Short mmCIF file of all heavy atoms in Angstrom, two decimals:
data_model
loop_
_atom_site.label_atom_id
_atom_site.label_comp_id
_atom_site.label_asym_id
_atom_site.label_seq_id
_atom_site.Cartn_x
_atom_site.Cartn_y
_atom_site.Cartn_z
N MET A 226 0.79 -1.16 -0.04
CA MET A 226 0.06 -0.06 -0.03
C MET A 226 0.90 1.26 0.02
O MET A 226 1.06 1.92 -0.95
CB MET A 226 -0.92 -0.03 1.20
CG MET A 226 -1.91 -1.10 1.20
SD MET A 226 -3.25 -0.84 -0.09
CE MET A 226 -4.16 0.32 0.84
N GLY A 227 1.50 1.52 1.01
CA GLY A 227 2.34 2.72 1.04
C GLY A 227 1.62 3.79 1.81
O GLY A 227 0.42 3.91 1.85
N ASN A 228 2.35 4.62 2.39
CA ASN A 228 1.82 5.55 3.28
C ASN A 228 1.42 6.76 2.32
O ASN A 228 2.27 7.37 1.56
CB ASN A 228 3.04 6.05 4.21
CG ASN A 228 2.38 6.86 5.26
OD1 ASN A 228 1.46 7.63 5.04
ND2 ASN A 228 3.04 6.93 6.53
N PRO A 229 0.21 7.22 2.49
CA PRO A 229 -0.34 8.33 1.69
C PRO A 229 0.42 9.60 2.03
O PRO A 229 0.69 10.55 1.11
CB PRO A 229 -1.73 8.45 1.92
CG PRO A 229 -1.89 7.74 3.31
CD PRO A 229 -0.86 6.69 3.33
N GLY A 230 0.99 9.73 3.21
CA GLY A 230 1.67 10.83 3.56
C GLY A 230 0.67 12.16 3.76
O GLY A 230 0.13 12.52 2.86
N GLU A 231 0.77 12.64 4.89
CA GLU A 231 -0.08 13.79 5.17
C GLU A 231 0.77 15.12 4.90
O GLU A 231 1.93 15.16 5.33
CB GLU A 231 -0.58 13.77 6.62
CG GLU A 231 -1.52 12.63 6.80
CD GLU A 231 -2.04 12.66 8.19
OE1 GLU A 231 -1.88 13.77 8.86
OE2 GLU A 231 -2.57 11.63 8.73
N ILE A 232 0.12 15.95 4.16
CA ILE A 232 0.76 17.14 3.85
C ILE A 232 0.31 18.18 4.79
O ILE A 232 -0.94 18.63 4.71
CB ILE A 232 0.67 17.53 2.39
CG1 ILE A 232 1.08 16.50 1.52
CG2 ILE A 232 1.30 18.92 2.22
CD1 ILE A 232 0.97 16.90 0.02
N ASN A 233 1.08 18.63 5.71
CA ASN A 233 0.75 19.78 6.61
C ASN A 233 1.37 21.07 6.04
O ASN A 233 2.61 21.30 6.12
CB ASN A 233 1.11 19.52 7.97
CG ASN A 233 0.28 18.37 8.48
OD1 ASN A 233 -0.90 18.15 8.36
ND2 ASN A 233 0.93 17.47 9.35
N ILE A 234 0.57 21.96 5.76
CA ILE A 234 1.12 23.29 5.37
C ILE A 234 0.87 24.26 6.56
O ILE A 234 -0.29 24.62 6.94
CB ILE A 234 0.40 23.78 4.07
CG1 ILE A 234 0.42 22.88 2.99
CG2 ILE A 234 0.85 25.19 3.72
CD1 ILE A 234 -0.30 23.21 1.75
N PRO A 235 1.97 24.69 7.03
CA PRO A 235 1.78 25.55 8.17
C PRO A 235 1.11 26.90 7.78
O PRO A 235 1.28 27.35 6.63
CB PRO A 235 3.28 25.77 8.73
CG PRO A 235 4.10 25.52 7.46
CD PRO A 235 3.31 24.44 6.71
N PRO A 236 0.41 27.45 8.68
CA PRO A 236 -0.25 28.75 8.36
C PRO A 236 0.79 29.89 7.99
O PRO A 236 1.93 29.86 8.84
CB PRO A 236 -1.00 29.14 9.52
CG PRO A 236 -0.35 28.27 10.68
CD PRO A 236 0.10 27.03 9.99
N ILE A 237 0.68 30.59 7.14
CA ILE A 237 1.54 31.68 6.80
C ILE A 237 1.33 32.88 7.64
O ILE A 237 0.31 33.45 7.81
CB ILE A 237 1.41 32.08 5.37
CG1 ILE A 237 1.69 30.88 4.42
CG2 ILE A 237 2.43 33.22 5.03
CD1 ILE A 237 1.43 31.11 2.91
N LYS A 238 2.35 33.10 8.31
CA LYS A 238 2.39 34.39 9.23
C LYS A 238 2.91 35.61 8.45
O LYS A 238 3.94 35.57 7.96
CB LYS A 238 3.12 34.24 10.48
CG LYS A 238 2.48 33.16 11.45
CD LYS A 238 3.35 33.04 12.65
CE LYS A 238 2.67 31.99 13.62
NZ LYS A 238 3.43 32.01 14.90
N ARG A 239 2.06 36.58 8.43
CA ARG A 239 2.52 37.82 7.71
C ARG A 239 2.84 38.84 8.82
O ARG A 239 1.95 39.69 9.16
CB ARG A 239 1.47 38.31 6.84
CG ARG A 239 1.18 37.31 5.60
CD ARG A 239 0.33 37.96 4.50
NE ARG A 239 0.22 36.93 3.45
CZ ARG A 239 -0.20 37.33 2.31
NH1 ARG A 239 -0.52 38.54 2.07
NH2 ARG A 239 -0.34 36.46 1.26
N GLU A 240 3.89 38.80 9.44
CA GLU A 240 4.21 39.74 10.54
C GLU A 240 4.23 41.02 10.08
O GLU A 240 4.09 42.03 10.84
CB GLU A 240 5.53 39.15 11.15
CG GLU A 240 5.43 37.84 11.73
CD GLU A 240 6.71 37.49 12.54
OE1 GLU A 240 7.48 38.41 12.81
OE2 GLU A 240 6.95 36.30 12.78
N GLU A 241 4.55 41.30 8.88
CA GLU A 241 4.67 42.70 8.32
C GLU A 241 3.32 43.36 8.42
O GLU A 241 3.18 44.68 8.56
CB GLU A 241 5.12 42.74 6.88
CG GLU A 241 6.64 42.25 6.82
CD GLU A 241 7.08 42.38 5.39
OE1 GLU A 241 6.43 42.78 4.65
OE2 GLU A 241 8.16 41.85 5.12
N GLU A 242 2.29 42.55 8.34
CA GLU A 242 0.93 43.15 8.38
C GLU A 242 0.31 43.46 9.82
O GLU A 242 -0.71 44.06 10.09
CB GLU A 242 -0.07 42.40 7.54
CG GLU A 242 0.29 42.35 6.15
CD GLU A 242 -0.74 41.55 5.38
OE1 GLU A 242 -1.70 41.07 5.85
OE2 GLU A 242 -0.55 41.43 4.10
N VAL A 243 1.01 42.93 10.72
CA VAL A 243 0.50 42.89 12.11
C VAL A 243 0.44 44.30 12.64
O VAL A 243 -0.50 44.72 13.26
CB VAL A 243 1.46 42.03 13.01
CG1 VAL A 243 1.09 42.32 14.53
CG2 VAL A 243 1.33 40.67 12.83
N SER A 244 1.49 45.13 12.21
CA SER A 244 1.46 46.42 12.75
C SER A 244 0.52 47.40 12.05
O SER A 244 0.13 48.45 12.47
CB SER A 244 2.94 47.03 12.49
OG SER A 244 3.22 47.08 11.09
N MET A 245 0.02 46.87 10.85
CA MET A 245 -0.96 47.72 10.07
C MET A 245 -2.34 47.41 10.65
O MET A 245 -3.29 47.18 9.80
CB MET A 245 -0.86 47.42 8.56
CG MET A 245 0.55 47.77 8.03
SD MET A 245 0.85 49.56 8.23
CE MET A 245 -0.04 50.24 6.88
N LYS A 246 -2.50 47.54 11.90
CA LYS A 246 -3.74 47.28 12.53
C LYS A 246 -4.43 48.63 12.69
O LYS A 246 -3.95 49.59 12.88
CB LYS A 246 -3.42 46.59 13.94
CG LYS A 246 -4.28 45.52 14.33
CD LYS A 246 -3.80 44.93 15.61
CE LYS A 246 -4.24 43.64 15.97
NZ LYS A 246 -3.70 43.09 17.14
N ARG A 247 -5.82 48.40 12.71
CA ARG A 247 -6.64 49.57 13.05
C ARG A 247 -6.81 49.80 14.48
O ARG A 247 -6.83 48.77 15.29
CB ARG A 247 -8.09 49.44 12.41
CG ARG A 247 -7.89 49.25 10.88
CD ARG A 247 -9.18 49.58 10.18
NE ARG A 247 -10.32 48.73 10.68
CZ ARG A 247 -11.54 48.83 10.29
NH1 ARG A 247 -11.82 49.86 9.34
NH2 ARG A 247 -12.56 48.17 10.76
N PHE A 248 -6.83 51.02 14.94
CA PHE A 248 -6.93 51.29 16.38
C PHE A 248 -8.17 52.10 16.60
O PHE A 248 -8.52 52.92 15.80
CB PHE A 248 -5.69 51.96 16.91
CG PHE A 248 -4.62 51.04 17.18
CD1 PHE A 248 -3.87 50.39 16.25
CD2 PHE A 248 -4.22 50.94 18.52
CE1 PHE A 248 -2.78 49.56 16.53
CE2 PHE A 248 -3.15 49.98 18.85
CZ PHE A 248 -2.47 49.41 17.93
N ARG A 249 -8.83 51.90 17.67
CA ARG A 249 -10.06 52.69 17.97
C ARG A 249 -9.82 53.50 19.26
O ARG A 249 -9.28 53.02 20.18
CB ARG A 249 -11.20 51.59 18.32
CG ARG A 249 -12.42 52.31 18.62
CD ARG A 249 -13.49 51.43 19.30
NE ARG A 249 -13.70 50.13 18.56
CZ ARG A 249 -13.56 48.87 18.92
NH1 ARG A 249 -13.10 48.69 20.13
NH2 ARG A 249 -13.81 47.87 18.27
N CYS A 250 -10.36 54.71 19.19
CA CYS A 250 -10.25 55.60 20.33
C CYS A 250 -11.39 55.13 21.26
O CYS A 250 -12.57 54.98 20.90
CB CYS A 250 -10.70 57.00 19.82
SG CYS A 250 -10.78 58.26 21.06
N ILE A 251 -10.97 54.86 22.40
CA ILE A 251 -11.84 54.19 23.48
C ILE A 251 -12.83 55.31 24.02
O ILE A 251 -13.84 55.10 24.62
CB ILE A 251 -11.16 53.56 24.63
CG1 ILE A 251 -10.22 54.55 25.42
CG2 ILE A 251 -10.32 52.39 24.11
CD1 ILE A 251 -9.51 53.88 26.59
N LEU A 252 -12.50 56.61 23.72
CA LEU A 252 -13.38 57.71 24.23
C LEU A 252 -14.49 58.13 23.29
O LEU A 252 -15.66 58.27 23.80
CB LEU A 252 -12.54 58.99 24.44
CG LEU A 252 -11.33 58.69 25.56
CD1 LEU A 252 -10.64 60.16 25.76
CD2 LEU A 252 -11.93 58.24 26.80
N CYS A 253 -14.17 58.01 21.91
CA CYS A 253 -15.29 58.57 21.10
C CYS A 253 -15.54 57.50 19.95
O CYS A 253 -16.42 57.66 19.16
CB CYS A 253 -14.86 59.85 20.46
SG CYS A 253 -13.51 59.71 19.19
N GLY A 254 -14.77 56.41 19.88
CA GLY A 254 -15.01 55.46 18.81
C GLY A 254 -14.40 55.75 17.54
O GLY A 254 -14.67 54.93 16.62
N TYR A 255 -13.60 56.72 17.35
CA TYR A 255 -12.85 57.04 16.12
C TYR A 255 -11.92 55.79 15.82
O TYR A 255 -11.25 55.29 16.74
CB TYR A 255 -12.19 58.30 16.23
CG TYR A 255 -11.14 58.57 15.10
CD1 TYR A 255 -11.66 59.04 13.88
CD2 TYR A 255 -9.80 58.19 15.20
CE1 TYR A 255 -10.72 59.33 12.78
CE2 TYR A 255 -8.86 58.51 14.22
CZ TYR A 255 -9.42 58.96 13.10
OH TYR A 255 -8.57 59.18 11.96
N ILE A 256 -12.01 55.42 14.56
CA ILE A 256 -11.06 54.40 14.14
C ILE A 256 -9.90 54.99 13.39
O ILE A 256 -10.09 55.67 12.21
CB ILE A 256 -11.88 53.34 13.21
CG1 ILE A 256 -13.04 52.77 13.86
CG2 ILE A 256 -10.86 52.29 12.74
CD1 ILE A 256 -12.66 51.90 15.04
N TYR A 257 -8.75 54.71 13.79
CA TYR A 257 -7.57 55.05 12.91
C TYR A 257 -7.21 53.83 12.02
O TYR A 257 -6.95 52.74 12.50
CB TYR A 257 -6.27 55.35 13.81
CG TYR A 257 -5.09 55.54 12.98
CD1 TYR A 257 -5.04 56.79 12.30
CD2 TYR A 257 -4.11 54.61 12.75
CE1 TYR A 257 -3.94 57.14 11.46
CE2 TYR A 257 -3.11 54.82 11.91
CZ TYR A 257 -3.04 56.04 11.20
OH TYR A 257 -1.99 56.32 10.47
N ASP A 258 -7.26 54.08 10.64
CA ASP A 258 -7.07 53.09 9.81
C ASP A 258 -5.66 53.47 9.08
O ASP A 258 -5.56 54.41 8.45
CB ASP A 258 -8.12 53.01 8.70
CG ASP A 258 -8.02 51.84 7.77
OD1 ASP A 258 -6.92 51.33 7.62
OD2 ASP A 258 -8.92 51.47 7.06
N PRO A 259 -4.73 52.63 9.29
CA PRO A 259 -3.37 52.87 8.68
C PRO A 259 -3.38 53.07 7.22
O PRO A 259 -2.54 53.74 6.63
CB PRO A 259 -2.57 51.64 9.16
CG PRO A 259 -3.24 51.09 10.35
CD PRO A 259 -4.68 51.36 10.12
N GLU A 260 -4.30 52.34 6.53
CA GLU A 260 -4.40 52.45 5.08
C GLU A 260 -4.87 53.88 4.64
O GLU A 260 -4.71 54.26 3.46
CB GLU A 260 -5.37 51.47 4.54
CG GLU A 260 -4.81 49.99 4.72
CD GLU A 260 -5.78 48.98 4.09
OE1 GLU A 260 -6.64 49.40 3.43
OE2 GLU A 260 -5.48 47.88 4.32
N VAL A 261 -5.60 54.51 5.63
CA VAL A 261 -6.15 55.85 5.24
C VAL A 261 -5.27 56.95 5.89
O VAL A 261 -5.03 58.04 5.24
CB VAL A 261 -7.52 56.04 5.78
CG1 VAL A 261 -8.08 57.36 5.49
CG2 VAL A 261 -8.50 54.90 5.15
N GLY A 262 -4.69 56.65 7.10
CA GLY A 262 -4.00 57.68 7.79
C GLY A 262 -4.85 58.68 8.35
O GLY A 262 -6.00 58.39 8.55
N ASP A 263 -4.31 59.85 8.54
CA ASP A 263 -5.08 61.01 9.07
C ASP A 263 -4.65 62.16 8.32
O ASP A 263 -3.83 63.01 8.72
CB ASP A 263 -4.79 61.14 10.54
CG ASP A 263 -5.48 62.43 11.10
OD1 ASP A 263 -6.51 62.90 10.52
OD2 ASP A 263 -5.02 62.94 12.20
N PRO A 264 -5.23 62.38 7.03
CA PRO A 264 -4.81 63.48 6.17
C PRO A 264 -4.96 64.83 6.81
O PRO A 264 -4.10 65.63 6.71
CB PRO A 264 -5.79 63.36 5.03
CG PRO A 264 -6.25 61.94 5.05
CD PRO A 264 -6.20 61.45 6.52
N ASP A 265 -6.03 65.00 7.68
CA ASP A 265 -6.16 66.28 8.27
C ASP A 265 -5.15 66.52 9.40
O ASP A 265 -4.92 67.77 9.61
CB ASP A 265 -7.61 66.39 8.88
CG ASP A 265 -8.75 66.36 7.78
OD1 ASP A 265 -8.35 66.74 6.75
OD2 ASP A 265 -9.83 65.98 8.17
N GLY A 266 -4.60 65.49 9.94
CA GLY A 266 -3.56 65.58 10.95
C GLY A 266 -2.22 65.49 10.30
O GLY A 266 -1.17 65.42 11.15
N GLY A 267 -2.00 65.45 9.01
CA GLY A 267 -0.79 65.43 8.34
C GLY A 267 -0.06 64.07 8.26
O GLY A 267 1.08 63.82 8.28
N ILE A 268 -0.88 63.03 8.62
CA ILE A 268 -0.48 61.57 8.60
C ILE A 268 -0.73 61.00 7.17
O ILE A 268 -1.96 60.89 6.86
CB ILE A 268 -1.17 60.84 9.77
CG1 ILE A 268 -0.93 61.48 11.07
CG2 ILE A 268 -0.62 59.39 9.74
CD1 ILE A 268 0.42 61.70 11.42
N GLU A 269 0.29 60.53 6.59
CA GLU A 269 0.07 60.05 5.33
C GLU A 269 -0.55 58.64 5.30
O GLU A 269 -0.31 57.89 6.21
CB GLU A 269 1.42 59.90 4.50
CG GLU A 269 2.03 61.28 4.28
CD GLU A 269 3.32 61.11 3.40
OE1 GLU A 269 3.63 60.01 3.00
OE2 GLU A 269 3.99 62.20 3.36
N PRO A 270 -1.26 58.21 4.31
CA PRO A 270 -1.78 56.84 4.13
C PRO A 270 -0.63 55.90 4.24
O PRO A 270 0.42 56.15 3.68
CB PRO A 270 -2.55 56.83 2.93
CG PRO A 270 -2.83 58.33 2.58
CD PRO A 270 -1.75 59.08 3.11
N GLY A 271 -0.81 54.80 4.93
CA GLY A 271 0.08 53.75 5.02
C GLY A 271 0.93 53.91 6.26
O GLY A 271 1.95 53.17 6.50
N THR A 272 0.59 54.90 7.26
CA THR A 272 1.29 55.02 8.43
C THR A 272 0.79 54.15 9.59
O THR A 272 -0.38 54.23 9.82
CB THR A 272 1.23 56.49 8.83
OG1 THR A 272 1.84 57.35 7.87
CG2 THR A 272 2.17 56.72 10.09
N ALA A 273 1.56 53.23 10.05
CA ALA A 273 1.07 52.35 11.19
C ALA A 273 0.88 53.13 12.40
O ALA A 273 1.50 54.27 12.59
CB ALA A 273 2.16 51.28 11.48
N PHE A 274 -0.02 52.69 13.15
CA PHE A 274 -0.39 53.37 14.41
C PHE A 274 0.91 53.65 15.32
O PHE A 274 1.09 54.71 15.84
CB PHE A 274 -1.37 52.61 15.25
CG PHE A 274 -1.92 53.38 16.42
CD1 PHE A 274 -2.89 54.39 16.35
CD2 PHE A 274 -1.41 53.06 17.60
CE1 PHE A 274 -3.38 55.04 17.44
CE2 PHE A 274 -1.82 53.75 18.82
CZ PHE A 274 -2.81 54.75 18.79
N GLU A 275 1.68 52.58 15.33
CA GLU A 275 3.02 52.65 16.04
C GLU A 275 3.83 53.73 15.65
O GLU A 275 4.83 54.23 16.39
CB GLU A 275 3.66 51.37 16.15
CG GLU A 275 2.91 50.27 16.89
CD GLU A 275 1.92 49.46 16.07
OE1 GLU A 275 1.55 50.09 15.00
OE2 GLU A 275 1.34 48.59 16.52
N ASP A 276 3.73 54.06 14.34
CA ASP A 276 4.60 55.07 13.69
C ASP A 276 4.10 56.52 13.92
O ASP A 276 4.70 57.45 13.47
CB ASP A 276 4.91 54.67 12.32
CG ASP A 276 5.66 53.45 12.15
OD1 ASP A 276 6.33 53.06 13.08
OD2 ASP A 276 5.52 52.84 11.08
N LEU A 277 2.89 56.63 14.42
CA LEU A 277 2.38 58.03 14.74
C LEU A 277 3.28 58.80 15.57
O LEU A 277 3.73 58.05 16.56
CB LEU A 277 0.97 57.88 15.14
CG LEU A 277 -0.10 57.40 14.16
CD1 LEU A 277 -1.47 57.20 14.87
CD2 LEU A 277 -0.29 58.22 12.99
N PRO A 278 3.37 60.04 15.48
CA PRO A 278 4.07 60.85 16.32
C PRO A 278 3.49 60.66 17.83
O PRO A 278 2.31 60.56 17.86
CB PRO A 278 4.14 62.22 15.85
CG PRO A 278 3.03 62.25 14.86
CD PRO A 278 2.96 60.87 14.30
N GLU A 279 4.30 60.83 18.85
CA GLU A 279 3.87 60.62 20.15
C GLU A 279 2.81 61.74 20.51
O GLU A 279 1.93 61.58 21.37
CB GLU A 279 4.98 60.69 21.26
CG GLU A 279 5.89 59.40 21.13
CD GLU A 279 4.97 58.11 21.42
OE1 GLU A 279 4.24 58.26 22.38
OE2 GLU A 279 5.06 57.19 20.65
N ASP A 280 2.82 62.83 19.74
CA ASP A 280 1.91 63.89 20.22
C ASP A 280 0.75 63.88 19.32
O ASP A 280 0.00 64.80 19.25
CB ASP A 280 2.62 65.26 20.02
CG ASP A 280 3.17 65.65 18.67
OD1 ASP A 280 3.17 64.63 17.83
OD2 ASP A 280 3.66 66.65 18.43
N TRP A 281 0.57 62.91 18.54
CA TRP A 281 -0.66 62.78 17.69
C TRP A 281 -1.84 62.59 18.62
O TRP A 281 -1.81 61.77 19.56
CB TRP A 281 -0.44 61.62 16.68
CG TRP A 281 -1.69 61.37 15.78
CD1 TRP A 281 -1.91 61.90 14.67
CD2 TRP A 281 -2.75 60.51 16.04
NE1 TRP A 281 -3.16 61.63 14.14
CE2 TRP A 281 -3.63 60.76 14.86
CE3 TRP A 281 -3.18 59.56 17.04
CZ2 TRP A 281 -4.91 60.00 14.73
CZ3 TRP A 281 -4.34 58.94 16.86
CH2 TRP A 281 -5.17 59.15 15.73
N ILE A 282 -2.97 63.15 18.12
CA ILE A 282 -4.18 62.99 19.05
C ILE A 282 -5.36 62.66 18.05
O ILE A 282 -5.31 62.94 16.93
CB ILE A 282 -4.45 64.32 19.79
CG1 ILE A 282 -4.61 65.46 18.81
CG2 ILE A 282 -3.42 64.63 20.84
CD1 ILE A 282 -5.12 66.82 19.42
N CYS A 283 -6.31 62.17 18.70
CA CYS A 283 -7.61 61.80 18.05
C CYS A 283 -8.18 63.07 17.39
O CYS A 283 -8.30 64.03 18.08
CB CYS A 283 -8.66 61.18 19.08
SG CYS A 283 -10.25 60.83 18.29
N PRO A 284 -8.31 62.92 16.22
CA PRO A 284 -8.95 64.12 15.43
C PRO A 284 -10.38 64.51 15.74
O PRO A 284 -10.80 65.62 15.47
CB PRO A 284 -8.89 63.73 13.88
CG PRO A 284 -8.85 62.18 13.91
CD PRO A 284 -8.08 61.87 15.20
N LEU A 285 -11.04 63.63 16.42
CA LEU A 285 -12.38 63.98 16.85
C LEU A 285 -12.47 64.45 18.29
O LEU A 285 -13.24 65.42 18.56
CB LEU A 285 -13.25 62.67 16.76
CG LEU A 285 -13.47 62.16 15.30
CD1 LEU A 285 -14.54 60.90 15.35
CD2 LEU A 285 -13.99 63.28 14.40
N CYS A 286 -11.70 63.83 19.23
CA CYS A 286 -11.92 64.25 20.51
C CYS A 286 -10.64 64.77 21.27
O CYS A 286 -10.70 65.11 22.38
CB CYS A 286 -12.60 63.12 21.39
SG CYS A 286 -11.43 61.78 21.76
N GLY A 287 -9.49 64.52 20.58
CA GLY A 287 -8.32 65.01 21.11
C GLY A 287 -7.65 64.19 22.17
O GLY A 287 -6.65 64.54 22.81
N ALA A 288 -8.01 62.87 22.17
CA ALA A 288 -7.42 61.92 23.08
C ALA A 288 -6.07 61.54 22.55
O ALA A 288 -5.79 61.63 21.35
CB ALA A 288 -8.37 60.65 23.20
N GLY A 289 -5.13 61.22 23.46
CA GLY A 289 -3.82 60.91 23.10
C GLY A 289 -3.78 59.35 22.68
O GLY A 289 -4.74 58.67 22.76
N LYS A 290 -2.59 58.90 22.13
CA LYS A 290 -2.49 57.60 21.63
C LYS A 290 -2.79 56.56 22.74
O LYS A 290 -3.11 55.49 22.53
CB LYS A 290 -1.01 57.41 21.04
CG LYS A 290 -0.83 58.17 19.81
CD LYS A 290 0.60 57.94 19.34
CE LYS A 290 0.94 56.51 18.90
NZ LYS A 290 2.25 56.31 18.46
N GLU A 291 -2.47 56.94 23.96
CA GLU A 291 -2.68 55.96 25.10
C GLU A 291 -4.12 55.62 25.25
O GLU A 291 -4.51 54.70 26.00
CB GLU A 291 -2.04 56.36 26.34
CG GLU A 291 -2.78 57.68 26.99
CD GLU A 291 -2.20 59.00 26.40
OE1 GLU A 291 -1.46 58.99 25.37
OE2 GLU A 291 -2.63 60.06 26.90
N ASP A 292 -5.04 56.43 24.66
CA ASP A 292 -6.46 56.20 24.86
C ASP A 292 -7.08 55.33 23.55
O ASP A 292 -8.23 55.26 23.49
CB ASP A 292 -7.13 57.52 24.96
CG ASP A 292 -6.95 58.17 26.27
OD1 ASP A 292 -6.84 57.42 27.34
OD2 ASP A 292 -6.74 59.43 26.32
N PHE A 293 -6.09 54.92 22.91
CA PHE A 293 -6.47 54.01 21.71
C PHE A 293 -6.13 52.49 22.03
O PHE A 293 -5.25 52.20 22.81
CB PHE A 293 -5.67 54.35 20.49
CG PHE A 293 -6.30 55.50 19.79
CD1 PHE A 293 -6.26 56.92 20.29
CD2 PHE A 293 -7.03 55.44 18.56
CE1 PHE A 293 -6.71 58.04 19.62
CE2 PHE A 293 -7.60 56.51 17.87
CZ PHE A 293 -7.48 57.85 18.46
N GLU A 294 -6.97 51.68 21.37
CA GLU A 294 -6.76 50.30 21.63
C GLU A 294 -6.91 49.46 20.35
O GLU A 294 -7.70 50.06 19.38
CB GLU A 294 -7.77 49.61 22.64
CG GLU A 294 -9.21 49.71 22.20
CD GLU A 294 -10.22 49.13 23.16
OE1 GLU A 294 -9.81 48.84 24.28
OE2 GLU A 294 -11.44 48.97 22.84
N PRO A 295 -6.23 48.44 20.08
CA PRO A 295 -6.26 47.85 18.84
C PRO A 295 -7.70 47.26 18.53
O PRO A 295 -8.43 46.82 19.49
CB PRO A 295 -5.27 46.54 19.03
CG PRO A 295 -4.46 46.88 20.13
CD PRO A 295 -5.24 47.77 20.95
N GLU A 296 -8.11 47.41 17.25
CA GLU A 296 -9.36 46.85 16.92
C GLU A 296 -9.29 45.41 16.41
O GLU A 296 -8.69 45.20 15.44
CB GLU A 296 -10.07 47.71 15.83
CG GLU A 296 -11.45 47.29 15.45
CD GLU A 296 -12.11 48.02 14.37
OE1 GLU A 296 -11.46 48.07 13.33
OE2 GLU A 296 -13.24 48.35 14.64
N GLU A 297 -9.78 44.45 17.24
CA GLU A 297 -9.71 43.01 16.81
C GLU A 297 -10.63 42.71 15.75
O GLU A 297 -11.82 43.07 15.90
CB GLU A 297 -9.96 42.14 17.98
CG GLU A 297 -8.98 42.42 19.20
CD GLU A 297 -7.50 42.24 18.78
OE1 GLU A 297 -7.18 41.56 17.83
OE2 GLU A 297 -6.65 42.75 19.42
N GLU A 298 -10.17 42.11 14.72
CA GLU A 298 -11.11 41.69 13.55
C GLU A 298 -11.28 40.21 13.57
O GLU A 298 -10.29 39.50 13.72
CB GLU A 298 -10.61 42.26 12.19
CG GLU A 298 -10.62 43.79 12.12
CD GLU A 298 -10.11 44.18 10.68
OE1 GLU A 298 -10.87 43.89 9.79
OE2 GLU A 298 -9.17 44.92 10.67
N GLU A 299 -12.43 39.80 13.44
CA GLU A 299 -12.61 38.29 13.30
C GLU A 299 -12.36 37.81 11.93
O GLU A 299 -12.67 38.48 11.01
CB GLU A 299 -14.20 38.05 13.63
CG GLU A 299 -14.57 38.36 15.05
CD GLU A 299 -13.83 37.54 16.02
OE1 GLU A 299 -13.48 36.30 15.70
OE2 GLU A 299 -13.30 38.04 17.04
ZN1 ZN B 531 -11.45 60.14 20.03
#
């Protein structure tokens, strides 16, 4: 007979995309989307949340980065 052999393909981890996460302001619900950036705040599209300047604030309510949390997507 012979062993059919199971092929296990490990899930591909794209660590480069991990940082391109959306973050939500816990105070007002504003979503920072790295793909969009914050044009009004001088943030170019493609800027990861982690790469935002420390003095960046929520464009809606003025909350600091510490008031944002990662938005988990199913
Ligand atoms: Zn806010």
Side-chain angles (χ1 to χ4, degrees):
M226 293 290 282
N228 194 330
E231 296 182 15
I232 301 177
N233 289 321
I234 302 176
I237 301 175
K238 290 184 180 180
R239 300 191 175 193
E240 297 187 15
E241 293 181 4
E242 294 184 1
V243 171
S244 63
M245 296 301 279
K246 223 174 196 177
R247 302 202 300 177
F248 277 71
R249 181 196 306 123
C250 175
I251 59 178
L252 297 183
C253 74
Y255 168 82
I256 301 292
Y257 175 77
D258 187 343
E260 293 183 8
V261 178
D263 176 23
D265 292 337
I268 306 300
E269 295 183 7
T272 303
F274 185 82
E275 289 84 350
D276 291 336
L277 292 172
E279 286 304 313
D280 59 353
W281 182 83
I282 57 173
C283 173
L285 293 187
C286 74
K290 290 177 67 178
E291 67 273 11
D292 289 321
F293 279 72
E294 63 180 9
E296 181 183 55
E297 304 296 342
E298 293 184 63
E299 294 297 325

